[in-house]
């Protein structure tokens, strides 16, 4: 790619894989160091009609960074924290900054950015914004979508816009901040982000570990917790297969528990009620010291990595159901396990109804079928085929189905219209997400 080199940018030629082994086979990788350099590359791609795919840290779980013959825009060098504003309560950053690093810097100043995808020690904030990632604190603090105030974006034409402004209350026009957040790199390249930040909580938090009899009882705990008006900071679940993976791969030394582990963090005044609920559902509960909590939080974050090391290849599901439907969702997942004679190890942000049943790949055709059936449980129960990992390639068909069933075809048409308006040559992370869902719908494949 001679002429791109003439632009004086750092490049390499290499193939990559994302975390779940989707192939990334670019014609060239470019490493921009500034917004001006991003503009140069995007303009070049636009003029030559070449596909271009932004890359944060490649921890995506849905094929969102996969490509054949694209220009891969690796954002790692654009990783500065530009401003921490402790009066207006925002932080302004470049997209390549690592999320854990950013939060360490914020915490030194008494603030934090709450969403914590379990990949926080690996992922870039640009990737987390593009995926509108969630995480373990999502039950209380939501996903990245709730924390982005403003974005600078290089559009697929090479023009630069800033959407939103660095304050919370702003009614000036359509909400483009939330359009670009979660757009999976299909509408432009994010080059600067203003995040809302908040002071570190001052209430005393209590961390609980509860060995549960089964996943059904865990769902029962979560429903009772909600009825009691308890809003936990964290309500996470891992089943016994995941405990075994953590013990085998990371020498975690956790006690095995047939019914899995519920990990909770609640405000001190909710402790007694929480213990009562856990007791009702036969949870065997202990209170963790701060040190033990740090260890369990870190093990929970590494659960998918441990499981992947056991499975070599796996599909990570990401369905959401209304919390009132959790027990029903768990029952239907069990029926699928029986039907396919497989065990799907479950990691769950169970507090907000977000379940990650993992499908370990042995028979790919069967895994594909099972993956679709799991997604359909969410659709049937009025939930979503993705709460936080996004759609990429893997879930486009299911997303199309969800939108058709819950919202109507017109909504998918509006989304496709937006893509065409912003990206008239169809070069920005093409062939995925809305574009793919629309194409499959047109081909009648969304049934
Ligand atoms: C072990 C593990 C645990 C995980 N746990 C969670 C979890 O708890 N919750 C959760 O939500 N996710 C989770 N994930 C998924 C994933 O880590 C997150 O979605 C993550 O935030 C993606 O960040 P990234 O930097 O790796 O992005 P990438 O994978 O590099 O990219 C993701 C998407 O963002 C786009 N993109 C990247 N940078 C830009 C940019 N500057 N401008 C425009 N588009 C861009 C890419 O094109 C792609 O579409 C997990 C992943 C792993 C491997």
């Amino acid at each position: 790619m001679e002429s791109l080199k003439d632009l004086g940018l750092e490049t390499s030629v290499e193939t990559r894989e994302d975390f779940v082994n989707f192939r990334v086979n670019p014609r060239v990788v470019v490493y921009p160091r500034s917004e001006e350099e991003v503009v140069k590359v995007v303009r070049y791609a636009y003029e030559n009609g070449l596909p271009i795919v932004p890359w944060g840290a490649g921890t995506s779980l849905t094929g969102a960074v996969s490509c054949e013959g694209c220009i891969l825009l690796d954002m790692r060098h654009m990783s500065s924290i530009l401003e921490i504003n402790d009066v207006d309560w925002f932080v302004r950053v470049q997209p390549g900054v690592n999320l854990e690093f950013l939060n360490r810097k914020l915490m030194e100043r008494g603030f934090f950015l709450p969403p914590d995808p379990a990949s926080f020690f690996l992922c870039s904030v640009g990737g987390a914004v593009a995926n509108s990632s969630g995480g373990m604190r999502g039950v209380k603090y939501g996903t990245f979508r709730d924390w982005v105030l403003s974005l600078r974006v290089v559009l697929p034409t090479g023009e630069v816009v800033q959407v939103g402004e660095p304050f919370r209350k702003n009614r000036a026009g359509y909400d483009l901040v939330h359009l670009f957040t979660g757009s999976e790199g299909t509408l432009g390249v994010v080059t600067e982000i203003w995040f809302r930040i908040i002071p570190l909580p001052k209430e005393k938090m209590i961390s609980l570990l509860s060995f549960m009899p089964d996943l059904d009882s865990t769902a029962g705990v979560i429903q009772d917790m909600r009825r009691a008006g308890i809003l936990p900071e964290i309500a996470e679940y891992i089943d016994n297969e995941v405990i075994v993976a953590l013990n085998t791969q990371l020498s975690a030394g956790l006690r095995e528990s047939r019914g899995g582990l519920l990990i909770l963090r609640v405000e001190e005044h909710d402790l007694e009620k929480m213990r009562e609920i856990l007791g009702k559902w036969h949870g065997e509960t202990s209170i963790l010291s701060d040190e033990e909590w740090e260890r369990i939080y870190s093990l929970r974050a590494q659960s998918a990595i441990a499981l992947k090391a056991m499975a070599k290849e796996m599909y990570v599901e990401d369905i959401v159901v209304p919390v009132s439907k959790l027990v029903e969702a768990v029952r239907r997942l069990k029926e699928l396990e029986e039907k396919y004679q497989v065990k799907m190890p479950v990691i769950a942000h169970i507090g907000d109804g977000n379940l990650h049943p993992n499908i370990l790949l042995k028979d790919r055709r069967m895994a594909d079928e099972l993956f679709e059936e799991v997604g359909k449980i969410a659709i049937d129960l009025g939930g979503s085929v993705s709460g936080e990992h996004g759609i990429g390639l893997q879930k486009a068909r299911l997303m199309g189905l969800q939108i058709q069933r819950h919202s109507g075809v017109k909504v998918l048409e509006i989304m496709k219209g937006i893509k065409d308006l912003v990206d008239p040559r169809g070069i920005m992370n093409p062939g995925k997400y809305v574009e793919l869902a629309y194409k499959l719908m047109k081909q009648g494949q969304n049934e």
Side-chain angles (χ1 to χ4, degrees):
M1 174 139 298
E2 217 51 54
S3 32
L4 194 54
K5 277 207 182 114
D6 293 345
L7 297 177
L9 304 172
E10 183 186 339
T11 59
S12 71
V13 178
E14 59 185 274
T15 56
R16 299 179 177 186
E17 279 187 347
D18 66 8
F19 183 78
V20 281
N21 307 110
F22 279 94
R23 209 172 143 69
V24 184
N25 191 16
R27 68 181 66 212
V28 64
V29 186
V30 186
Y31 303 84
R33 289 179 181 270
S34 64
E35 186 177 273
E36 292 70 37
E37 291 198 351
V38 174
V39 169
K40 273 190 195 175
V41 187
V42 174
R43 279 218 180 112
Y44 178 84
Y46 180 70
E47 279 159 16
N48 293 282
L50 294 172
I52 182 161
V53 177
W55 169 284
T59 63
S60 169
L61 301 170
T62 62
V65 281
S66 65
C67 82
E68 257 323 302
C70 69
I71 298 173
L72 192 72
L73 208 53
D74 186 323
M75 303 301 286
R76 71 179 64 185
H77 295 317
M78 291 181 63
S79 59
S80 301
I81 299 175
L82 302 168
E83 180 184 359
I84 298 176
N85 189 315
D86 58 8
V87 174
D88 293 322
W89 287 8
F90 68 74
V91 60
R92 180 162 70 94
V93 294
Q94 290 184 313
V97 71
N98 168 260
L99 177 57
E100 183 180 34
F101 176 77
L102 173 61
N103 252 329
R104 249 189 278 126
K105 293 290 167 202
L106 289 171
M107 283 175 190
E108 284 169 15
R109 302 274 294 268
F111 288 88
F112 79 133
L113 172 62
D116 57 346
S119 56
F120 61 83
F121 52 99
L122 302 169
C123 74
S124 73
V125 294
V129 167
N131 269 0
S132 189
S133 299
M136 298 174 282
R137 289 194 281 252
V139 61
K140 182 163 188 176
Y141 295 108
T143 65
F144 265 85
R145 186 160 272 165
D146 301 304
W147 296 89
V148 180
L149 293 170
S150 180
L151 296 168
R152 276 182 76 83
V153 184
V154 178
L155 299 175
T157 51
E159 295 155 290
V160 182
V161 292
Q162 180 176 335
V163 293
E165 312 218 29
F167 41 85
R168 270 185 93 183
K169 298 183 86 171
N170 184 1
R171 276 291 295 103
Y174 294 130
D175 188 350
L176 298 185
V177 177
H178 285 94
L179 173 65
F180 282 94
T181 307
S183 62
E184 301 190 10
T186 63
L187 296 180
V189 184
V190 173
T191 50
E192 218 166 286
I193 308 159
W194 285 256
F195 287 116
R196 180 160 79 91
I197 55 173
I198 52 170
L200 285 163
K202 297 188 177 56
E203 321 82 56
K204 185 165 164 44
M205 302 302 290
I206 307 287
S207 311
L208 300 162
L209 196 62
S210 203
F211 292 89
M212 299 302 298
D214 45 44
L215 183 50
D216 305 48
S217 327
T218 313
V221 169
I222 298 302
Q223 291 183 342
D224 278 357
M225 179 187 80
R226 305 264 297 195
R227 277 188 201 101
I230 297 175
L231 179 61
E233 183 186 87
I234 286 183
E236 293 286 306
Y237 174 81
I238 52 174
D239 75 6
N240 197 45
E241 319 288 309
V242 181
I243 296 174
V244 170
L246 285 167
N247 287 343
T248 313
Q249 300 299 327
L250 302 173
S251 308
L254 292 170
R255 194 184 102 190
E256 288 190 23
S257 158
R258 227 174 46 99
L261 263 183
L262 178 58
I263 304 161
L264 290 164
R265 197 161 158 84
V266 295
E267 290 177 12
E268 192 176 28
H269 59 85
D270 288 325
L271 176 61
E272 274 326 298
K273 186 69 192 170
M274 200 65 242
R275 288 194 86 138
E276 188 189 305
I277 294 169
L278 288 163
K280 173 184 156 191
W281 290 97
H282 309 292
E284 203 186 305
T285 306
S286 55
I287 295 183
L288 300 174
S289 66
D290 288 350
E291 243 173 45
E292 287 166 332
W293 165 248
E294 293 296 329
R295 200 175 88 83
I296 291 292
Y297 178 75
S298 159
L299 284 171
R300 163 58 194 90
Q302 294 176 81
S303 296
I305 292 174
L307 207 53
K308 166 101 191 298
M310 302 280 277
K312 308 288 181 247
E313 276 193 89
M314 67 181 187
Y315 292 160
V316 183
E317 263 289 7
D318 172 36
I319 58 168
V320 187
V321 295
V323 176
S324 59
K325 300 281 169 52
L326 256 179
V327 173
E328 169 75 358
V330 168
R331 186 185 62 72
R332 291 197 42 188
L333 285 174
K334 266 200 207 134
E335 282 172 9
L336 282 184
E337 287 187 328
E338 272 160 36
K339 176 174 165 190
Y340 286 88
Q341 287 296 298
V342 291
K343 179 89 190 76
M344 291 185 279
V346 174
I347 301 172
H349 307 300
I350 196 152
D352 50 15
N354 190 184
L355 304 169
H356 301 312
N358 295 281
I359 302 173
L360 313 185
L361 288 193
K362 290 185 186 115
D363 172 347
R364 190 173 290 270
R365 214 167 117 211
M366 188 256 267
D368 286 343
E369 237 178 73
L370 179 55
F371 189 82
E372 295 266 315
E373 289 215 45
V374 172
K376 283 180 185 163
I377 293 179
I379 299 174
D380 289 348
L381 297 179
S384 177
V385 298
S386 174
E388 49 175 31
H389 295 169
I391 302 300
L393 282 178
Q394 211 180 20
K395 289 213 167 150
R397 212 182 77 81
L398 281 166
M399 182 188 92
L401 188 58
Q402 177 185 332
I403 293 175
Q404 275 175 268
R405 293 252 305 263
H406 294 181
S407 313
V409 172
K410 186 71 196 165
V411 170
L412 195 51
E413 286 171 354
I414 292 171
M415 290 182 186
K416 176 65 165 55
I418 291 171
K419 167 72 177 166
D420 292 344
L421 176 74
V422 179
D423 184 9
R425 295 202 72 180
I427 58 165
M428 195 54 75
N429 207 357
K432 298 168 190 164
Y433 197 26
V434 167
E435 189 188 337
L436 182 56
Y438 182 82
K439 182 174 151 198
L440 293 172
M441 180 194 70
K442 281 287 169 197
Q443 292 170 351
Q445 288 189 42
N446 275 353
E447 288 311 317

